[in-house]
Every structure is written in structure tokens, then in C-alpha cells.
Amino acid sequence: MIKRFLHIVTLTLLFATAFSQEVSNLKRIISFTTQNSLKLEATFTSLPAEDTKFTIKIEDNATGKIVFDDEVSAYSVSKEENKIIFFVKDLKINLWSPVHPNLYQIIFKASDKTGSMQQTERTGFRSFVSKNDNLYLNGHPIFLRGIAINPPGRGIPHDIETSRKFAHDYVSFMKSIHVNIIRIPDDTTWYNVCDELGMMVFGGNYSGTVDGEKPPKDYDKAVSWYENEKFAPIANHPSLMIYAMTNEVDYSGSKAEPWRKFLSYAHDQLLKWDNTRVYIGNAGYGYGQSGDICDLHRYWGWYYSSPFTFLHARYNADIIPFKKEKEQPVTFTECVGNYTGPDGIYNLTPHHKNPGSQLNWTGHAGWDLQKQLANEHQSFTFKQATELNRRLRNINSELSGVFPFTILFYNWNTIKSFVDMGPKPVAYQARLSYNPVLLSWENWQPHLYAGSTFHPIVHVVNDADDFSDLQNAKLIYKIEDHSDKIVYSDSINLPLIKYYATWQQKLNITVPSSLAEGDYKLTGKIISDKNIISENFDRLFIAGKNFIASSAKPVKQVLIYDPSGITIKALDKLTVTYKRINDFTNIPANSIIVIGENAADDNLVQQSNILRQLVNNGERIIYLRQDETHFENLNKLLPYKLKNVTMDLDTAVYPPPPRPSRNGYNVNPERQDNPVFSGVTKADLRVWSDYTNWDESQKGFPAIYPVTDGFVVENKKDLEHISVLANYGVALESIAIAEIFEGKGSEMVCGLDLANRSGVDPVADKMLANMIGYMGNEKTHQEYPMINAPIIWGDYKTEKGILTGVNSGLILNSKAKLTDDYSNLKVHVTKDGYEIAGEGGGWNTRPGLQYVHYGRRPFGPYILRGFGNVPEPENAETNIGEGTFWCRIAEGKSTSSTLVWNPSDEDLAITITVNTKKVTENIKAAETMNVDCPVNETNLEMNFSGDRRLVLLQTTFK
């Protein structure tokens, strides 16, 4: 009671000494609301007179009902800032929520004997707090289903993207695909629409500076900037849930500590100003040290790692490099990536991580398939990142939100209205993965034999928008073929699933034995009161009885060296006829030797000279995968040195250690016409079936990656004798299958995990059968691809696998498609040959500006810098780059003719060497020229050397 009396006396004295003698100009008001209270901050040009009366009226925006109208007294006064704070408590109010976005008008009035002045502001009442390890909206835990790339500020014509209709249509669409929070810049129109439609917002200072400084030296000045300049204009909006204080500022080393100190101080001060929202101190990198949320940015499955790396989110110890001081919600406010352009193909932005990422996921498939493959991988990554974050809450309760930073629409700068944007397939994936009641399939066996039994786990996650429990519901699950014909169906009654709870059940499904080979879907629907509450599906490949039998049989006798017997068991299941051997001194002619998985032991090394001689005489050997402990012995058996790579694809360390990774998926069939891939598509090489009976409740990861022991060539010049049949990873720098030519014979080296999957995964079985059939045939194996049509450089189909990853040195050239309002952008060429339209970057701020393939440039030797895989010349002191490839051409060709373009403003020379023949020509500035070089053999080594700005457009042999 005494404290309250002293507080009133203090305020009275302050009013008496500080207030002027007339109603001063009222600059602004800000409403801060909870579930039943209002804190109103009024700012004046100078403080009003002592006898000024203040009233607050609160009126329901929809009905006009007055819920409060009374005189109020000041709670506190700031003489320095000319601010007065008022509180109204115990209000009977309808809360704002995504389902019921109730809004109110706040009318604030200041009156004295000279007159009165008032301001009106619209707001809503709700609470949003970080409590324990979750986020709570109006007392209910809530999971944030976000999207990070949104207008405005994305290149859409200004009068369209700032219009109310466009904002309304856009936000309405996002709600229709079950997004409940978006990240947008400060735009009143957009915030008003989000208020009205019930779309939560993540806003604030999404920048690497604070008022232009990094970090600020004057802490209080910076806090004032946050309050008065950055946050104040958006603070009245009930849709605004999260303030970002900074984005991706230094998080380690000597530069990190000043940021941490400042942000911690600022956070404490800002909470005193506005505690009705939560703060992220350093978005992406701060680990919650200076804020209310432990926020992460991880692009697993885009330019590094895989979407399954999100399994690490089960345990904070995996994803947070130190023990947190307090329980905090964990969010991923940036993830997924996969930046596709207006034509759906991955945007090949120059001097950037995107081109290497494109190769990782869509590989050297023809450009006619690149859109389909890019859309599929974008949707797949979105699915894994979002659904794993939601269903793993049963293990890590702190998981509280995910915001894919990905491009959901085809059209941006060319639109006339929202309907022109054109949602990509990933938007419809969001509708499934963001369903408030999520049905998600945990199925680690995507490839099955007809007649087999598998055990998918169905997960149900209840994040109902109205906070209701799921009850009286049934799950109906089916297997459907590509025509949607049902080939299997069953159902179970679901138990009561409380709001924000998760539920899971392992199922027992036997695939009908009569099914034809093909693609199928495992579908599920949750039905309640005859209404479909949720649905989702998972893709299956089902092989019939004759899938393996159709593989080519080896003509040569199969001899196998396999002390452990693991590979022999696989051959037994494949019904391959073989003879087991331990000694290589009396190998019968016309044989093929198979060295089993991890069979490269000391006994084999002791017979290395015999093995090498056999190959030189014309025999063939298959070396199946050899892990790290056996790879050194493998190298003692080969004519050219390979390097086993050991980095785990799914390491959660950030930034990750240097690539390449030993394991991988989404394998690229480089020589697509090779019999090794007979009956196998690129889609079949994405993820294989687990053979360990793993599920998410166990530690570790499922055995789903086709490659477990990949490798690289230590000396790139040795690629003259090594055919890379399959590769994988960023920029396709890792090798999965290679054939090494030596003398009259060859050795196949394979990094695929095959034997363990025998009888489990039909695609793995098919690959093993194909390898034995191919290496065991009597046909002549060709070291180099046959080029019998012009090579259109950058067109993967015409290049026929002659270029493998970074090895060749010929880098893909990117060119911007300059149409519509981008047609006047000025293009400049950097010294390293990158063609930049306008300013650099823009792949996310200008998603309508697409870069496409346009020839290749002599760029090597080069490396991929850091985990962002940006190409950098090994020798930056010279402008001269080079590239080499090997190929075959038909008899009778006498000339190679290469069309070379010089996009620079100075003449540049290029040297072309074909075997022993060499020519050098000067290409005039901004012109193209055919450069001819004599050819006198059918097996060619072709080298290009010249300024990195030169672009090779086409090579024809005539």
C-alpha cells in the first residue's frame, strides 16, 4: 500500500513539473495487447498540461459494441521521450486468433481547457509467449507452419504488390494451403490484411546491421532505434508474433561476443517496452542466447546434406553446439531452399551455390526433364523438413516451427494480379504437409517386391487451428496404382488425440503378389463424421516376379572372392551361378571376377600382381563397395589411385566439414545408356529400402542411401582411363560407380550398398544383376562415349556424360533471361566470366529473374569454395582457364569445329588441342567465331584453353 502511494505521489510531482500548459500535438499511439489487457503508449511533441484528461474507448470492429469507455490515468511518464503509458485491465474481449481474427478500434483522446485531440488505432487482443519449451497463443501451445519468401519486395510491379487486393488474395491462398505464419517486410497494407484474415506474421529487423551498425556501440541509442523507428510502426498489429532483432550476424569467434552482449542487453530492454511478443536475437545463428527462441537456419537437402538430416532435430545435443541455459522453443525460420525459376528449372545464378546444387539433385538429366525433377525434389525436401519437424515432437518437445525459405510460385515480375503467379507443385505439397491435423507416413522401404510385407508407421499430429481434440476418427489406408486403382485397403479406428499431441502406429501391410511392376502410392485419409480431416501419401515402387529375371545374364563364368559370405548370399538370392575362389593363380579364360563387399583383405593384396595381369590380358573384375578400413587395400589393386571420402552426409555440425561425403542419394546415372542402368530410372536411384528395421524412435539413421562408400579420383588426369558411370553429391564431385580400363580388360569399382539389400530392395538387386551381366558379357567395352551429333555445350543430353562434376574444368555458363521489365537490365561480365544482370544475387529478392544454361567456359582447374560450393579458380592470379574431355567419333571425321563466343569488350584468344593437333584463334570482342582443328583419330582428347570469359557454344565433328 505504501509503495502504491509513493508511486502516485511520484507521478503527480512529475506531471506538475513536466507538463506544458496546453494540449500538445499527439504524434502517435501504440497498442500492446494481451488476452484481457491493453497497454497504450502515447507519444507527444511535448508533454500535455497537468489538468489534461485522457480517455480510452475500445470498440468491436465488427459489431460496433463498446467494451470499454472511460477516463484513464497515466501509469508512467517519460519526460525524455515525451511518452505516457496507460493500462486498461480485466477486459471482457473476443480474442484474436487465426480462426477468429477479432479486431477492435482503440480511440485515445486527450482533453484540456484549450481543446482536445484524439487518435484511433486498430488492434486485436491475444497473448503470444515463449513458456518452458513451447510457444503459446492465447494459452495454447502452437506450432508455426511458416513460409519465409513472400512479397512485398520480390520484384512484383509495385502498384500490384502494394495493393490491398493483391495482399488479400495472396494471404488467402496461403491460408488455403494451411500456412499459419509468414515473414514479410514492414508494409501497412500487408499487416492490415494479415490482421483481418488471421495470418500470423514474423517481422522486425531482418538485417545484419542495427541502425546501420554491426554491432552498435551505443546500446541505448540502438534500443531507441528498435522501439521508435523499426518496431513501432508495426507494433499495433495483433498478427505480429515475432520480432527479429538481427539476421545471421556473427555467431562464433571474436566477432560473436560483441553481438551477443549487445543483443542480450537490447532484449532485456525491449521486453520492458513490449512483452506481448517473442524475440529472436540473432535469427538463424544465435541459438537462443539473446532472445526467447532458439532459432536455426539449416539448408539440409539443398546445398549441403540431405532432407533426412532433419532427423537430428530429435536431440538438441545434435543441433545446438552448447548446453542451453534454459528451455526454449526451437524453430527453423529458414530451411529447404531449392530455388527454382519461372520455368520451374533450378535457377543457375552465376558465382553462386545454385548451379552446384542443381547438379546434386537433378543431375545431368535432359533439360526437358529438369523442371519435373526440380519440382519433385523441391516438394520432397519441403515434405521431409516440415513433416519431420512436426512428427518428431514426440521425441523433442521443443520443436515449435519451421519456415521453408523456398519459392512457391512461377511468376513474379510479369503478373497483373495474384492469379497470374501460378503455384508450383511445392505449394500443393504444403497443403498436405501443413494440414493442421497432419497425417504423415514414416516409411523407410519405398522399393518393394510384390508379395512382400512391410511395416510403415503412420503418424498423426494434432495441431488443429481451433485447438480442438481429434475424436471419433478413422484412418483408411490404401495402395493405389498410377491410375488410382485400389490394390490394397484397410482401416483402423483412431484413439482420442488431444490437441498438440502426436500419435503413431506401426502397420502390417502385405503387398499383393500379383501386382505388375510400376509406381504406386501408399495413401491415407483421416475421416470423421464422413468428412476428410487429413490425407497424405508416400510413393512406392513395386517390382514383379520377373523384374530381376529380365536382367542380362553373364556369358562369362562368375568367380567370386568373398571370405565373409555376405555377397555370396546376395548372389544366391539372385540365382546367379558362380564359383567361389580364394586363389587367382589358375583362373580359367573367359571369366569375370567379383570381389565381395569389404573383401579387399591382405590375401587379396598379396595376389595383386596376378589380378592386374588378368585384367591386362582382357579379364574383368568387379570390386563391390569397400569401406574406409578396406579402401587402402583396394587402391593397392588398382592402376590409378582413388580416394575414399569419409565425411558423413548427415553430419549436423555447422558449418559442415569439407565435402565430398562418403554416402549419398539421388544418384546421377552419368552414362545413362550403359547396361548397368537397364530397367533403372533416375527416380529409382534416389532412396533405397532400409534393411535394418529402423524407425525414428531409435538413434542413428536408416540405411536408405544407395551410396555408402563413394570415392573420387585423386589425379584428375587419370580420368582419361576411367569411365564415370554414376556420380552424386554437390556438383557431382563424388563417384558411385566407375569402370577403369587397363590393358585389354577393365575393373568396375562400386560404392553402392548392395549385398545387405538382397531380397529387400528390387532396385538394388537389379543394379547388382546388371553389373554382373554387363561385366560378364563378351562385348567390347568402350572407354569413351560416342559423339555422333553436335555437342551443344550445356545441353546434358548432347554431352553424353563426357563431363563429370568439377573434374573436366569446363564450367556451365549462366545467362539471364531478360524479358519484360528485366529487359533493360545492364549485363556485365566479371573477370572470371560470370555474366551478371543488374546487381549480383537476386535469386530470392528477384525470383522472376532466371538464369539458364548457355554454353560452357574453360574455367579449370577449380575448386568448390566452402560448404556453399561456389566455384573458385585454383589459381586466381591468371585469367586463363582450361578444360579437357575424352570421346569417340566415327571413322572419316577430319575436323572439329567449335563455335566460340566472346561476351567481353576486348579481343580474347582461345587454344584448342585435339590429341597432338593445336590451333589458336583470336575472338573479337562481342563476336562469335568457329574455330576448326584437325582430327586424325577416332579416340579423342580435346582441350580448351583461354580466358575464362570465353563461352563454348557448340562443337561439331565433320
Side-chain angles (χ1 to χ4, degrees):
M1 191 71 170
I2 294 174
K3 288 184 178 179
R4 184 178 178 188
F5 174 76
L6 291 174
H7 178 67
I8 294 171
V9 170
T10 301
L11 286 177
T12 302
L13 291 173
L14 185 57
F15 271 84
T17 57
F19 283 8
S20 64
Q21 299 302 309
E22 58 182 17
V23 176
S24 301
N25 288 328
L26 178 59
K27 291 176 61 177
R28 72 169 187 226
I29 61 171
I30 305 176
S31 303
F32 304 97
T33 62
T34 68
Q35 289 176 270
N36 60 3
S37 69
L38 167 69
K39 172 184 145 182
L40 189 143
E41 177 186 282
T43 303
F44 301 83
T45 54
S46 60
L47 289 172
E50 179 183 354
D51 60 348
T52 303
K53 293 182 179 181
F54 305 102
T55 60
I56 292 177
K57 180 191 291 187
I58 304 175
E59 180 181 303
D60 188 305
N61 195 67
T63 66
K65 178 182 177 181
I66 306 298
V67 298
F68 182 87
D69 188 2
D70 206 348
E71 185 175 335
V72 292
S73 299
Y75 175 78
S76 66
V77 179
S78 171
K79 179 180 178 182
E80 294 78 11
E81 296 183 290
N82 295 322
K83 289 181 180 178
I84 307 177
I85 305 297
F86 303 89
F87 272 107
V88 179
K89 298 181 179 180
D90 302 322
L91 294 167
K92 304 298 182 183
I93 214 84
N94 293 320
L95 298 181
W96 186 97
S97 72
V99 174
H100 301 291
N102 297 299
L103 298 173
Y104 290 84
Q105 296 290 333
I106 309 297
I107 301 100
F108 174 76
K109 187 174 182 180
S111 307
D112 67 6
K113 59 186 178 182
T114 65
S116 65
M117 180 173 289
Q118 74 176 36
Q119 277 196 16
T120 300
E121 186 169 75
R122 192 180 68 177
T123 191
F125 290 79
R126 86 291 179 278
S127 67
F128 191 75
V129 297
S130 172
K131 184 172 63 175
N132 299 327
D133 58 358
N134 290 130
L135 295 166
Y136 285 79
L137 174 64
N138 298 336
H140 301 279
I142 190 166
F143 189 92
L144 305 180
R145 308 186 301 266
I147 294 295
I149 292 184
N150 305 282
R154 303 288 175 185
I156 293 171
H158 179 75
D159 59 337
I160 295 174
E161 75 170 357
T162 56
S163 71
R164 178 179 177 79
K165 177 171 174 35
F166 178 79
H168 186 278
D169 291 347
Y170 183 93
V171 174
S172 296
F173 176 81
M174 300 304 273
K175 285 191 65 88
S176 77
I177 60 173
H178 306 306
V179 173
N180 67 6
I181 186 168
I182 59 176
R183 195 182 87 193
I184 57 174
D186 305 344
D187 185 283
T188 300
T189 299
W190 279 76
Y191 268 96
N192 284 337
V193 166
C194 290
D195 291 344
E196 294 159 12
L197 295 182
M199 175 63 74
M200 296 186 290
V201 175
F202 172 20
N205 180 43
Y206 220 75
S207 169
T209 66
V210 177
D211 196 16
E213 297 186 66
K214 50 181 191 178
K217 295 181 177 60
D218 187 332
Y219 285 11
D220 289 329
K221 179 185 176 186
V223 169
S224 177
W225 176 81
Y226 275 132
E227 292 182 5
N228 296 300
E229 303 297 329
K230 191 61 184 172
F231 295 163
I234 55 177
N236 68 292
H237 295 283
S239 57
L240 177 62
M241 301 291 161
I242 301 173
Y243 286 123
M245 297 167 66
T246 61
N247 176 58
E248 293 187 355
V249 298
D250 296 302
Y251 61 96
S252 63
S254 59
K255 294 182 179 180
E257 187 59 17
W259 271 115
R260 191 193 65 78
K261 286 183 177 179
F262 162 71
L263 291 171
S264 296
Y265 175 84
H267 175 239
D268 290 342
Q269 298 303 308
L270 287 169
L271 279 176
K272 299 173 185 176
W273 176 69
D274 183 4
N275 64 356
T276 69
R277 294 173 173 93
V278 297
Y279 293 82
I280 295 178
N282 178 5
Y285 292 169
Y287 299 107
Q289 295 177 92
S290 307
D292 306 305
I293 295 177
C294 179
D295 185 54
L296 305 173
H297 291 172
R298 296 292 181 267
Y299 285 90
W300 295 326
W302 175 226
Y303 66 95
Y304 62 102
S305 298
S306 101
F308 302 110
T309 310
F310 279 98
L311 284 165
H312 280 296
R314 291 173 296 174
Y315 312 111
N316 282 344
D318 288 357
I319 57 178
I320 302 170
F322 52 82
K323 186 173 177 58
K324 292 197 300 178
E325 295 180 0
K326 55 185 176 180
E327 291 182 320
Q328 286 179 315
V330 173
T331 59
F332 289 82
T333 60
E334 285 188 20
C335 59
V336 176
N338 287 260
Y339 309 120
T340 56
D343 61 9
I345 294 172
Y346 281 133
N347 206 336
L348 301 176
T349 47
H351 200 217
H352 194 246
K353 64 193 73 170
N354 285 352
S357 302
Q358 174 265 309
L359 290 171
N360 195 354
W361 307 121
T362 61
H364 281 160
W367 290 104
D368 56 332
L369 294 175
Q370 287 285 328
K371 175 181 178 178
Q372 173 191 332
L373 295 174
N375 279 330
E376 287 175 358
H377 187 258
Q378 183 185 26
S379 296
F380 179 78
T381 307
F382 189 106
K383 174 185 176 70
Q384 299 303 326
T386 56
E387 294 187 21
L388 281 171
N389 262 278
R390 296 182 69 187
R391 72 184 192 226
L392 293 178
R393 286 211 313 262
N394 70 318
I395 300 174
N396 184 355
S397 62
E398 294 186 21
L399 296 176
S400 298
V402 59
F403 292 66
F405 191 83
T406 195
I407 299 168
L408 269 60
F409 301 92
Y410 286 110
N411 305 313
W412 298 77
N413 60 302
T414 59
I415 69 169
K416 304 298 183 185
S417 64
F418 170 75
V419 73
D420 298 329
M421 291 194 74
K424 295 179 179 179
V426 67
Y428 301 104
Q429 181 63 56
R431 181 174 288 167
L432 297 175
S433 299
Y434 271 176
N435 193 305
V437 178
L438 171 68
L439 186 160
S440 182
W441 289 107
E442 179 190 347
N443 176 36
W444 306 112
Q445 291 194 307
H447 299 161
L448 300 163
Y449 280 104
S452 64
T453 299
F454 70 119
H455 306 280
I457 297 174
V458 61
H459 292 256
V460 180
V461 181
N462 183 11
D463 293 332
D465 285 334
D466 61 358
F467 312 123
S468 63
D469 299 337
L470 179 65
Q471 51 191 337
N472 301 321
K474 175 185 284 191
L475 168 67
I476 300 174
Y477 55 98
K478 306 172 184 178
I479 297 177
E480 301 175 359
D481 67 14
H482 69 279
S483 70
D484 294 335
K485 177 185 175 183
I486 299 169
V487 300
Y488 175 94
S489 181
D490 206 345
S491 65
I492 56 174
N493 292 321
L494 297 178
L496 172 69
I497 303 175
K498 292 283 191 179
Y499 170 72
Y500 212 68
T502 65
W503 174 88
Q504 49 278 327
Q505 177 70 53
K506 181 178 285 188
L507 304 177
N508 187 71
I509 300 177
T510 299
V511 179
S513 59
S514 60
L515 294 185
E517 170 193 328
D519 292 321
Y520 292 79
K521 289 188 299 185
L522 172 63
T523 67
K525 292 183 180 180
I526 297 175
I527 309 292
S528 180
D529 295 329
K530 299 183 180 181
N531 296 316
I532 298 175
I533 304 299
S534 183
E535 58 186 323
N536 211 336
F537 71 95
D538 199 40
R539 289 185 173 87
L540 301 174
F541 170 76
I542 299 176
K545 296 178 180 179
N546 296 319
F547 184 62
I548 306 301
S550 64
S551 297
K553 301 295 186 291
V555 176
K556 299 184 177 186
Q557 182 180 12
V558 178
L559 307 175
I560 182 163
Y561 178 81
D562 185 34
S564 72
I566 294 175
T567 304
I568 284 175
K569 291 179 181 178
L571 296 189
D572 286 339
K573 291 181 181 178
L574 291 179
T575 65
V576 172
T577 302
Y578 61 86
K579 179 181 178 181
R580 191 167 187 174
I581 61 171
N582 289 305
D583 182 84
F584 299 90
T585 53
N586 294 302
I587 298 298
N590 206 34
S591 299
I592 169 183
I593 300 170
V594 178
I595 307 301
E597 292 188 4
N598 291 331
D601 56 13
D602 292 340
N603 177 48
L604 202 64
V605 172
Q606 290 171 8
Q607 303 180 73
S608 61
N609 290 335
I610 300 174
L611 289 166
R612 292 282 298 279
Q613 190 58 53
L614 286 169
V615 175
N616 272 283
N617 291 341
E619 303 300 340
R620 296 175 185 149
I621 301 176
I622 299 175
Y623 290 100
L624 296 177
R625 72 173 185 90
Q626 308 297 317
D627 64 20
E628 185 179 1
T629 60
H630 295 84
F631 210 89
E632 184 178 349
N633 279 345
L634 173 63
N635 259 326
K636 295 175 182 176
L637 303 167
L638 300 174
Y640 308 106
K641 194 166 185 180
L642 306 179
K643 182 179 179 182
N644 181 227
V645 289
T646 58
M647 194 268 277
D648 184 358
L649 176 66
D650 286 310
T651 180
V653 175
Y654 187 85
R659 293 172 320 272
S661 60
R662 64 172 179 81
N663 48 350
Y665 80 111
N666 230 334
V667 177
N668 174 62
E670 190 64 78
R671 304 282 177 92
Q672 297 181 36
D673 56 353
N674 189 286
V676 164
F677 304 109
S678 176
V680 177
T681 67
K682 180 170 174 57
D684 296 332
L685 297 171
R686 289 173 181 163
V687 177
W688 285 356
S689 290
D690 172 72
Y691 50 84
T692 66
N693 295 316
W694 187 91
D695 65 63
E696 289 167 6
S697 67
Q698 304 173 41
K699 291 191 175 182
F701 277 68
I704 56 174
Y705 294 149
V707 184
T708 56
D709 296 282
F711 51 92
V712 295
V713 177
E714 194 155 288
N715 187 340
K716 293 179 182 179
K717 291 183 179 180
D718 291 340
L719 284 165
E720 178 180 358
H721 308 290
I722 301 174
S723 293
V724 177
L725 302 184
N727 43 21
Y728 68 98
V730 173
L732 300 177
E733 60 185 335
S734 306
I735 301 174
I737 311 173
E739 185 174 6
I740 302 173
F741 290 84
E742 182 181 12
K744 297 179 181 178
S746 65
E747 298 118 320
M748 176 175 284
V749 181
C750 173
L752 302 178
D753 186 5
L754 297 171
N756 290 317
R757 288 191 169 83
S758 180
V760 174
D761 190 308
V763 176
D765 286 345
K766 183 79 169 178
M767 289 293 295
L768 181 56
N770 284 348
M771 289 178 190
I772 294 173
Y774 168 64
M775 293 297 281
N777 65 27
E778 293 182 329
K779 298 178 181 179
T780 300
H781 288 194
Q782 298 295 339
E783 201 167 355
Y784 309 129
M786 168 63 76
I787 301 298
N788 49 21
I791 299 173
I792 310 300
W793 290 109
D795 181 348
Y796 301 142
K797 276 188 176 180
T798 68
E799 291 176 349
K800 292 191 172 181
I802 58 176
L803 307 179
T804 57
V806 302
N807 298 312
S808 71
L810 294 177
I811 196 171
L812 195 71
N813 185 58
S814 301
K815 190 176 184 63
K817 295 177 72 171
L818 299 180
T819 58
D820 298 289
D821 56 335
Y822 290 148
S823 59
N824 294 324
L825 285 179
K826 184 178 180 181
V827 176
H828 69 278
V829 182
T830 71
K831 67 180 183 64
D832 286 331
Y834 295 110
E835 296 180 47
I836 309 296
E839 300 177 357
W843 45 272
N844 64 333
T845 56
R846 295 180 294 172
L849 178 60
Q850 179 154 14
Y851 287 85
V852 297
H853 68 285
Y854 194 82
R856 287 188 180 269
R857 293 183 286 118
F859 196 79
Y862 68 94
I863 60 171
L864 299 175
R865 173 171 54 80
F867 74 102
N869 59 77
V870 178
E872 297 286 357
E874 287 186 7
N875 184 2
E877 295 180 0
T878 176
N879 290 337
I880 302 301
E882 64 175 329
T884 304
F885 70 93
W886 294 268
C887 71
R888 290 183 298 129
I889 60 173
E891 295 277 359
K893 305 294 184 181
S894 60
T895 305
S896 73
S897 182
T898 300
L899 184 64
V900 184
W901 173 45
N902 177 5
S904 77
D905 56 3
E906 59 181 307
D907 296 353
L908 300 172
I910 189 166
T911 298
I912 300 177
T913 305
V914 183
N915 293 342
T916 58
K917 306 295 183 179
K918 180 186 294 188
V919 296
T920 299
E921 293 286 356
N922 200 48
I923 315 297
K924 292 187 177 298
E927 292 187 8
T928 58
M929 177 181 177
N930 273 304
V931 180
D932 292 344
C933 186
V935 172
N936 55 13
E937 297 179 46
T938 55
N939 284 351
L940 305 182
E941 176 184 1
M942 196 163 185
N943 176 273
F944 299 91
S945 178
D947 192 286
R948 293 190 181 95
R949 291 171 287 180
L950 291 170
V951 181
L952 312 176
L953 298 177
Q954 179 173 314
T955 294
T956 305
F957 298 102
K958 56 186 182 180

